[in-house]
Amino acid sequence: MPANAHSIILHQYDVSPFSEKVRVIFGIKGIEWYACDEPVIMPKPELTALTGGYRKIPVMQIGADIYCDTQIIIRELERRYPSPSIYVGADKGFGWGLTVWTDRSIFQAAVAIIFGGMADGDNELANEAFRKDREALTGRPFDTKAMQQAAPLMADQIRAQLDWAEHQLSGGDEFLLGDRAGLADASLYYNIAFMRWVYPKGLTFFDHMPRLAAWEKRVRDLGHGTRHEMSRAEALNIAKAATSTEEVRADPAEPNKLKPGMRVTVMADDYGRDPITGELVSSSAQHIAIKRSDDRVGEVVVHFPRAGFFVMPS
Ligand SMILES: N[C@@H](CCC(=O)N[C@@H](CS)C(=O)NCC(=O)O)C(=O)O
């Protein structure tokens, strides 16, 4: 079937760990999707035409609706494809809290271990252009020496935290929160997959975590749903021809008096803090959707999560 305004398009690249989180969710839900490969470093002119400046990967596009950050991407996938749910066992919402742990604490430890291992010469990702790009992304020097020094300390940190997961699996369940995979599994798994792809030496302690090793294989075997490829030009054409399906909705409990029609600026609270400005369409405790336009894509609505993002009137 040719792609259209309803197709799920993931702007991604294959060695992107956060993209892997979403690809595992595609696997869990059996979703058919289009991979639109983006550059690993800036510039990303097609991506930023869609997002208004947000540069991180992945970004999901459905027609003229653009979802920035895995949290809002997975939330939207759950809304459109509720079964099987990402919520497993007793999880009705705390799974998102677990993603704060996996996406910040564990991910940062994995990054230090991977790039701290660079001295061994087995890391092709971190060339000069990549380092410069990541300095601009984080606003901090890409200090290889400091990462080399931090790597053993971070190995202790990641081992201790993954050991919690090893214990979590001791009740006999196949997945972290029950007998099927969900948000918690996708969120922990992508960190391990990232190390496995680019710096497997960083995972030697895994030999002593047999339950987690078996779990890793089970999550990998879930696959990625049905993947097709799409060019960036085609993705832009789809956005341009489509109209957003987001409805105007005021949030009665909005604490800062934000209302549809107001101009607001949204930015991530950690790294890649490029501000994105637009007109508020709808908002809630968990999302904000803003309308903006660009010559190449026409009018689009860009969606962000609230946890981990700042919203300011502009
Ligand atoms: N909070 C974001 C984090 C995304 C993230 O850090 N992505 C990495 C790649 S996996 C990134 O964008 N790195 C810079 C780049 O690719 O330009 C999310 O959940 O989507």
Side-chain angles (χ1 to χ4, degrees), residues 114-125 148 198-199 201:
I114 288 166
F115 294 112
M118 262 183 326
D120 299 340
D122 36 20
N123 204 311
E124 292 160 18
L125 206 59
Q148 277 164 14
V198 299
Y199 193 62
K201 272 195 218 165

Side-chain angles (χ1 to χ4, degrees), residues 107-181:
F107 178 66
Q108 290 308 334
V111 166
I113 293 167
I114 288 166
F115 294 112
M118 262 183 326
D120 299 340
D122 36 20
N123 204 311
E124 292 160 18
L125 206 59
N127 55 37
E128 191 53 26
F130 179 86
R131 289 175 200 206
K132 286 229 146 59
D133 181 82
R134 291 321 192 239
E135 288 189 346
L137 176 77
T138 60
R140 286 199 309 268
F142 195 96
D143 185 342
T144 319
K145 272 225 155 51
M147 284 195 246
Q148 277 164 14
Q149 283 166 355
L153 308 179
M154 290 300 117
D156 286 348
Q157 292 307 309
I158 210 165
R159 185 166 84 118
Q161 296 181 38
L162 291 182
D163 188 58
W164 295 337
E166 176 74 7
H167 281 271
Q168 180 67 24
L169 290 165
S170 64
D173 282 331
E174 299 228 307
F175 295 96
L176 291 173
L177 298 182
D179 58 3
R180 59 182 188 82

Side-chain angles (χ1 to χ4, degrees), residues 13 16-18 40 44 55-58 69-70 134 137 271:
Y13 50 86
S16 151
F18 282 91
V40 176
K44 308 182 187 189
R55 61 156 291 183
K56 289 197 238 179
I57 296 293
D69 192 285
T70 54
R134 291 321 192 239
L137 176 77
Y271 52 92

Side-chain angles (χ1 to χ4, degrees), residues 14-264:
D14 284 349
V15 293
S16 151
F18 282 91
S19 301
E20 182 69 4
K21 192 208 290 191
V22 177
R23 293 185 298 243
V24 170
I25 299 289
F26 289 149
I28 291 172
K29 292 184 174 289
I31 290 173
E32 183 168 358
W33 61 287
Y34 290 79
C36 180
D37 281 342
E38 294 288 345
V40 176
I41 60 175
M42 292 292 272
K44 308 182 187 189
E46 295 91 353
L47 184 73
T48 50
L50 289 164
T51 64
Y54 182 88
R55 61 156 291 183
K56 289 197 238 179
I57 296 293
V59 166
M60 182 173 79
Q61 173 190 350
I62 303 175
D65 285 287
I66 314 298
Y67 300 86
C68 299
D69 192 285
T70 54
Q71 193 191 138
I72 196 83
I73 293 173
I74 294 170
R75 185 175 182 272
E76 185 63 19
L77 290 173
E78 178 75 2
R79 196 179 70 81
R80 292 178 186 244
Y81 304 91
S83 179
S85 173
I86 58 166
Y87 301 110
V88 175
D91 182 18
K92 303 279 180 285
F94 272 13
W96 295 112
L98 287 178
T99 71
V100 177
W101 166 50
T102 58
D103 293 8
R104 296 192 181 215
S105 179
I106 295 189
F107 178 66
Q108 290 308 334
V111 166
I113 293 167
I114 288 166
F115 294 112
M118 262 183 326
D120 299 340
D122 36 20
N123 204 311
E124 292 160 18
L125 206 59
N127 55 37
E128 191 53 26
F130 179 86
R131 289 175 200 206
K132 286 229 146 59
D133 181 82
R134 291 321 192 239
E135 288 189 346
L137 176 77
T138 60
R140 286 199 309 268
F142 195 96
D143 185 342
T144 319
K145 272 225 155 51
M147 284 195 246
Q148 277 164 14
Q149 283 166 355
L153 308 179
M154 290 300 117
D156 286 348
Q157 292 307 309
I158 210 165
R159 185 166 84 118
Q161 296 181 38
L162 291 182
D163 188 58
W164 295 337
E166 176 74 7
H167 281 271
Q168 180 67 24
L169 290 165
S170 64
D173 282 331
E174 299 228 307
F175 295 96
L176 291 173
L177 298 182
D179 58 3
R180 59 182 188 82
L183 177 61
D185 301 278
S187 303
L188 186 66
Y189 172 79
Y190 79 81
N191 285 291
I192 292 160
F194 187 31
M195 291 177 75
R196 190 70 76 204
W197 300 330
V198 299
Y199 193 62
K201 272 195 218 165
L203 281 170
T204 44
F205 57 81
F206 237 61
D207 298 345
H208 304 278
M209 296 185 177
R211 295 188 199 99
L212 207 55
W215 164 87
E216 180 194 5
K217 187 175 176 321
R218 283 194 286 274
V219 179
R220 190 189 316 128
D221 288 348
L222 293 169
H224 290 161
T226 306
R227 171 175 169 157
H228 308 281
E229 307 299 320
M230 178 182 286
S231 71
R232 298 200 285 273
E234 189 180 354
L236 294 196
N237 288 341
I238 287 177
K240 187 148 200 168
T243 306
S244 165
T245 58
E246 186 67 17
E247 285 172 15
V248 174
R249 231 173 333 142
D251 172 6
E254 161 55 47
N256 295 320
K257 313 241 168 349
L258 298 176
K259 285 193 188 58
M262 281 173 71
R263 277 189 81 68
V264 294

